[in-house]
Amino acid sequence: MIDLVPGELRRIAVLGAHCDDVAIGAGGTLLTLCAARPGIRVEALVLSGGGTRRESEERDALAAFCPGADLRVTVGKMPDGRLPAHWDEAKRAVEDLRVRISPDLILAPHPGDAHQDHRGLAELVTTAFRDHLVLGYEIVKWDGDLGRPNAYQPLMPAVAEAKVALLWEHYPSQRRRSWFDREAFTGLARIRGIECQTRYAEAFYLRKLTLDLAGG
């Protein structure tokens, strides 16, 4: 494995269109990073769910997924499924995040996601953060848009199990949905683990990567 983020990883930004997106797409990676780097700054931006029960779920969930981190969470009030109609508002939120933090790593939806909110946010991230490492996470759903990722974060079995347990614990409002399923989350992690020769993994999409093979 090659460390794509050499040196100290001090600041990360995580973005989601909806409450639970970040935890589903990159919860295991957050658990892994925060355990390895106590005190890491995590700046989270979620565009929708503000002022509802879902905001409380999200804040509690991200605190659980980022133990020991310097966590800061912003939850906006955009209506679910309407990002294209609220483009200016979404763009301002992402640009405000860019002012608050210059992250060493960004976790956000990937541009090939079939959900218009996810896809739109992915586009905004890559235009606002032009000189940053952006890993686009995936979310299993009815649309059948799982693709061929090109970056992987292996997960220890205990971390994969903790991710699923935390999802179930902190998002009771989503348990009735067909896609919010323990076997689905574990199964996808197992498949991505096979693809990178480990037991479990989360997979990401890299749009652009600059190398420094000379080390300087």
Side-chain angles (χ1 to χ4, degrees):
M1 296 292 178
I2 299 175
D3 186 357
L4 297 178
V5 190
E8 288 296 323
L9 181 60
R10 298 185 177 93
R11 301 172 301 275
I12 66 174
V14 296
L15 298 94
H18 318 102
C19 297
D20 76 25
D21 285 356
V22 171
I24 291 173
T29 298
L30 286 175
L31 287 169
T32 301
L33 278 174
C34 292
R37 294 175 168 85
I40 187 172
R41 180 177 171 186
V42 179
E43 187 85 33
L45 170 64
V46 180
L47 295 181
S48 64
T52 72
R53 173 189 179 187
R54 300 220 62 202
E55 179 177 358
S56 298
E57 289 182 343
E58 184 73 344
R59 291 184 179 279
D60 289 345
L62 289 178
F65 276 101
C66 301
D70 176 11
L71 174 64
R72 308 169 193 191
V73 181
T74 301
V75 182
K77 296 183 178 181
M78 286 180 47
D80 189 349
R82 297 291 186 271
L83 188 149
H86 295 263
W87 189 259
D88 288 344
E89 180 183 352
K91 185 175 177 65
R92 281 195 301 272
V94 174
E95 290 176 343
D96 287 346
L97 175 66
R98 177 67 180 85
V99 172
R100 293 196 299 272
I101 186 172
S102 180
D104 302 308
L105 171 67
I106 299 171
L107 303 174
H110 76 92
D113 194 299
H115 194 297
Q116 68 272 17
D117 291 356
H118 301 173
R119 190 170 61 251
L121 178 55
E123 181 178 343
L124 288 171
V125 168
T126 55
T127 56
F129 294 91
R130 293 183 175 272
D131 297 313
H132 300 78
L133 177 61
V134 180
L135 296 181
Y137 56 73
E138 58 183 356
I139 298 177
V140 63
K141 61 177 93 55
W142 173 88
D143 305 82
D145 59 356
L146 294 178
R148 299 179 64 181
N150 52 12
Y152 297 85
Q153 171 58 53
L155 303 179
M156 297 294 292
V159 171
E161 293 168 6
K163 172 186 174 177
V164 175
L166 290 173
L167 286 171
W168 194 256
E169 175 185 355
H170 288 287
Y171 296 106
S173 67
Q174 303 304 294
R175 292 176 191 166
R176 60 183 174 82
R177 299 184 180 276
S178 61
W179 51 264
F180 197 86
D181 181 89
R182 293 172 182 262
E183 289 182 326
F185 298 138
T186 303
L188 181 58
R190 178 69 187 109
I191 290 170
R192 296 319 189 194
I194 291 171
E195 293 174 349
C196 67
Q197 297 186 338
T198 189
R199 185 66 185 172
Y200 298 107
E202 285 178 337
F204 300 91
Y205 296 78
L206 272 167
R207 192 168 187 172
K208 183 182 290 188
L209 175 66
T210 301
L211 300 175
D212 178 12
L213 298 179

